[in-house]
């Protein structure tokens, strides 16, 4: 019985170590109306996945994909935290996050000097 409990604990610990929020692309993120995809690998024993975005600018819209993936459109530059709260059937909720730097398009910084 002790070995079974140890194996279950070890598998849970390893799952939580390697789970993380990931971006579909490694490109620079702009607040230009484009959508950017994020996902988390499915976690054994998860009941549900709840997504949220925290940021100073408050300019992000979440477009639901499926439980383990979403798209986000940013309307303001700033630093955002893309968060996924995973409700587990056998214990406390797990929270995973990814910090995202959002920039304005470079052409928005140019001025007309006529």
């Amino acid at each position: 019985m002790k070995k079974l409990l140890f194996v279950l604990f070890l598998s849970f610990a390893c799952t939580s170590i390697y789970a993380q929020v990931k971006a579909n692309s490694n490109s620079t993120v702009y607040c230009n109306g484009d959508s950017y995809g994020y996902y988390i690998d499915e976690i054994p024993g998860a009941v549900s996945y709840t997504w949220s975005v925290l940021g100073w600018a408050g300019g992000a819209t979440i477009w639901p994909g499926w439980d383990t993936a979403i798209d986000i459109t940013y309307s303001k530059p700033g630093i955002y935290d893309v968060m996924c709260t995973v409700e587990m059937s056998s214990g406390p909720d797990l929270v995973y996050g990814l910090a995202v730097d959002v920039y304005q398009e470079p052409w928005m910084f140019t001025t007309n000097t006529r």
Side-chain angles (χ1 to χ4, degrees), residues 18-72:
Y18 292 106
Q20 60 182 330
V21 174
K22 302 170 190 166
N24 286 341
S25 170
N26 290 331
S27 63
T28 303
V29 178
Y30 294 106
C31 58
N32 61 1
D34 290 344
S35 291
Y36 298 90
Y38 300 91
Y39 69 97
I40 189 168
D41 293 329
E42 195 168 320
I43 298 174
V47 174
S48 67
Y49 301 84
T50 304
W51 292 87
S52 59
V53 179
L54 307 172
W56 291 92
T61 303
I62 297 175
W63 304 97
W66 54 91
D67 286 349
T68 58
I70 58 167
D71 286 331
I72 299 176

